[in-house]
Amino acid sequence: MQQYVDSYYSASRNRDRAHPPLTESVECDVCVVGAGYTGLSTAIALLEQGFKVIVIEAARIGFGASGRNGGQIVNSYSRDIDVIERTAGSHAASVLGPMAFEGGRIIRERVARYGIQCDLKDGGVFAAITPRQLGHLQAQKQLWERYGNDRLELLDARRIREVVGSERYVGGLLDMSGGHIHPLNLALGEAEAVCSLGGTIHEQTPATKIERGAQPLVHTPHGQVRANFVVIAGNAYLGDLVPELAAKSMPCGTQVIATEPLSDELAHSLLPQDYCVEDCNYLLDYYRLSADKRLIYGGGVVYGARDPADIESIIRPKMLRTFPQLRQVKIDYAWTGNFLLTLSRLPQVGRLGDNIYYSQGCSGHGVTYTHLAGKVLAEALRGQAERFDVLAGLPHYPFPGGRLLRVPFTALGAAYYQLRDRLGV
Ligand SMILES: Cc1cc2nc3c(=O)[nH]c(=O)nc-3n(C[C@H](O)[C@H](O)[C@H](O)COP(=O)(O)OP(=O)(O)OC[C@H]3O[C@@H](n4cnc5c(N)ncnc54)[C@H](O)[C@@H]3O)c2cc1C
């Protein structure tokens, strides 16, 4: 059986039931491919509406980004809403703006309704390293308030030191509708909700081929699923199963470390209110405390998603730049995971033919978006496609350089933005 990477999350995962591989031919209303947040959230929303749902997962529940991420409930999309206003128009922005804050509410509703134990905490900080970044946060605050988020506080240089024990920041934005979770335990709890609603999950069951038609047929190594609809939720781990979906997106890796448990005093000095933090750099750092007071610190991007050999040597210096006081602290876990980048950084949502739906490519900020996506996909399958159509209408472009050169070209672009961050322009 495929194992999780050496992640703190797999070491602290809640117990869950067995989900044996598919070994027969079965039928259902909807076959969901992939048991990350997108697939599980879609399955829950459909099951709550009475659909018969089967989820097939190539590896294990939460094996992809959903079981490895920073655990930060970050509102909005990987692109600011004003960029959506400019590129997709005012109608798209008026629909997608308020939706930017829905994913966090869906997570909290599910945690409460299904009794999911995932260490949910409220409060997330966007930390500005330069005055330019702080100015941007100020503008974002006004924009987010316009779209209904009234739980924001702009932090000046003095105030941010009360919530983050680092000298790095000139200010920040606190979003009390953000927060953090144990990501794998959220996925496992959602899988349990799927089963409690009558859904079925098969782990170790990769979709190897999808035969399209009036009732698509999903092939797996030892069985097949005939369904009225298929939802593809394989994101950065999908490979070439559906070539159309691979064309305008690129898997990327990002790495995370977890320290040994910190003393109460040290943990409190870093993050006194236990908020999570991400900075505003183009290639950003993100961190938070776990329930047992480890610092979970992530950052960096590997375009093309090759696994780096020594993760600690990449991430530990970033952590020490933010918290030099952790110099003597040991790193217990280090792992990598893949997210799916699009050129616009906006998610890719759509339909292939009449009955194959997909959502992918949330470009690094997907914990809330994927929960929203599940709800919107379920609405579309029920025939209410207004919100789905707006997401599906977002513009997408192939990466410059095609599949051969997209990695060096994108890395070059990122180097430019990194330089801007360093220069503060
Ligand atoms: C290290 C890391 C840190 C991150 N931190 C944050 C964060 O703090 N906050 C935030 O908002 N976002 C974060 N993200 C992004 C976020 O985790 C993802 O956007 C989100 O989890 C994607 O969920 P998903 O369900 O679409 O994809 P995944 O969770 O990747 O799930 C896809 C699943 O599909 C399965 N699959 C693929 N192909 C097949 C197939 N052919 N048949 C069957 N199953 C298949 C895979 O095995 C996998 O389990 C992070 C991502 C990474 C990698």
Side-chain angles (χ1 to χ4, degrees):
M1 183 174 263
Q2 243 172 315
Q3 292 300 319
Y4 296 101
V5 281
D6 186 19
S7 120
Y8 162 68
Y9 302 135
S10 52
S12 55
R13 74 202 297 263
N14 293 336
R15 285 170 68 89
D16 66 329
R17 63 172 93 189
H19 302 278
L22 180 68
T23 53
E24 57 187 341
S25 291
V26 289
E27 293 194 359
C28 60
D29 298 324
V30 186
C31 175
V32 176
V33 177
Y37 299 145
T38 302
L40 295 168
S41 177
T42 308
I44 292 173
L46 288 168
L47 287 157
E48 286 175 342
Q49 300 293 323
F51 284 78
K52 183 179 176 196
V53 180
I54 294 176
V55 181
I56 57 171
E57 163 55 48
R60 301 187 66 189
I61 291 155
F63 173 80
S66 302
R68 307 170 187 233
N69 64 64
Q72 311 222 353
I73 299 174
V74 184
N75 280 308
S76 195
Y77 312 94
S78 278
R79 262 283 189 253
D80 299 329
I81 302 168
D82 49 342
V83 178
I84 297 179
E85 280 175 354
R86 285 199 300 277
T87 56
S90 57
H91 174 66
S94 71
V95 175
L96 297 180
M99 286 163 69
F101 310 107
E102 202 173 319
R105 287 200 295 275
I106 296 170
I107 293 171
R108 288 176 172 88
E109 277 163 25
R110 298 243 169 99
V111 165
R113 184 175 313 149
Y114 297 105
I116 298 174
Q117 304 295 320
C118 63
D119 310 325
L120 173 62
K121 290 275 167 62
D122 289 342
V125 175
F126 299 91
I129 296 172
T130 65
R132 183 187 65 81
Q133 292 175 350
L134 188 56
H136 179 73
L137 288 176
Q138 200 161 7
Q140 285 304 302
K141 178 174 181 280
Q142 284 170 8
L143 195 65
W144 284 19
E145 283 170 344
R146 180 143 63 82
Y147 286 113
N149 186 339
D150 58 2
R151 304 192 61 198
L152 302 167
E153 179 193 347
L154 201 67
L155 309 171
D156 62 17
R158 182 196 56 79
R159 177 81 178 103
I160 197 165
R161 274 167 191 61
E162 293 172 4
V163 297
V164 189
S166 170
E167 298 297 314
R168 260 188 109 181
Y169 306 119
V170 299
L173 180 65
L174 170 62
D175 180 2
M176 285 308 293
S177 68
H180 56 104
I181 36 109
H182 184 303
L184 178 58
N185 284 341
L186 176 62
L188 293 174
E190 292 181 329
E192 190 55 35
V194 166
C195 297
S196 75
L197 290 164
T200 307
I201 302 174
H202 295 287
E203 292 184 314
Q204 301 296 316
T205 304
T208 50
K209 183 177 157 195
I210 301 176
E211 257 179 68
R212 303 183 190 185
Q215 268 199 316
L217 184 64
V218 181
H219 294 262
T220 76
H222 307 290
Q224 47 193 25
V225 187
R226 170 85 62 197
N228 296 327
F229 298 99
V230 174
V231 172
I232 299 171
N235 207 37
Y237 292 84
L238 189 64
D240 277 330
L241 181 71
V242 186
E244 297 101 304
L245 298 191
K248 292 181 182 167
S249 57
M250 173 165 63
C252 295
T254 167
Q255 290 75 45
V256 187
I257 56 176
T259 65
E260 62 185 327
L262 307 178
S263 67
D264 286 354
E265 196 188 355
L266 182 53
H268 185 264
S269 74
L270 304 182
L271 296 164
Q273 292 81 7
D274 203 0
Y275 300 146
C276 63
V277 181
E278 67 169 51
D279 71 33
C280 298
N281 276 345
Y282 185 77
L283 300 183
L284 53 88
D285 288 6
Y286 48 94
Y287 52 89
R288 67 184 181 90
L289 292 168
S290 64
D292 61 353
K293 301 209 163 47
R294 298 168 189 275
L295 187 69
I296 313 270
Y297 201 104
V301 173
V302 180
Y303 295 106
R306 285 175 311 280
D307 290 355
D310 185 357
I311 293 169
E312 188 177 330
S313 73
I314 301 172
I315 306 299
R316 188 181 167 86
K318 293 176 189 288
M319 180 185 81
L320 293 180
R321 212 173 307 138
T322 308
F323 296 119
Q325 59 269 50
L326 298 184
R327 204 160 291 283
Q328 303 303 328
V329 165
K330 254 183 51 230
I331 305 302
D332 278 352
Y333 300 92
W335 65 95
T336 190
N338 297 343
F339 66 91
L340 196 66
L341 185 71
T342 63
L343 195 61
S344 65
R345 289 187 161 215
L346 291 168
Q348 281 177 333
V349 178
R351 193 166 30 213
L352 303 168
D354 290 339
N355 46 23
I356 300 179
Y357 288 71
Y358 62 88
S359 170
Q360 61 171 27
C362 25
S363 302
H365 280 140
V367 170
T368 60
Y369 166 75
T370 49
H371 285 82
L372 170 71
K375 191 171 170 192
V376 172
L377 287 168
E379 286 168 6
L381 263 68
R382 283 202 320 263
Q384 297 166 334
E386 294 83 5
R387 303 201 308 166
F388 171 89
D389 287 342
V390 173
L391 278 170
L394 291 173
H396 286 288
Y397 315 97
F399 281 91
R403 286 195 89 156
L404 203 60
L405 292 174
R406 64 186 184 178
V407 170
F409 277 26
T410 311
L412 203 63
Y416 165 74
Y417 285 106
Q418 263 180 303
L419 185 66
R420 282 180 51 137
D421 283 336
R422 264 195 222 118
L423 298 174
V425 292

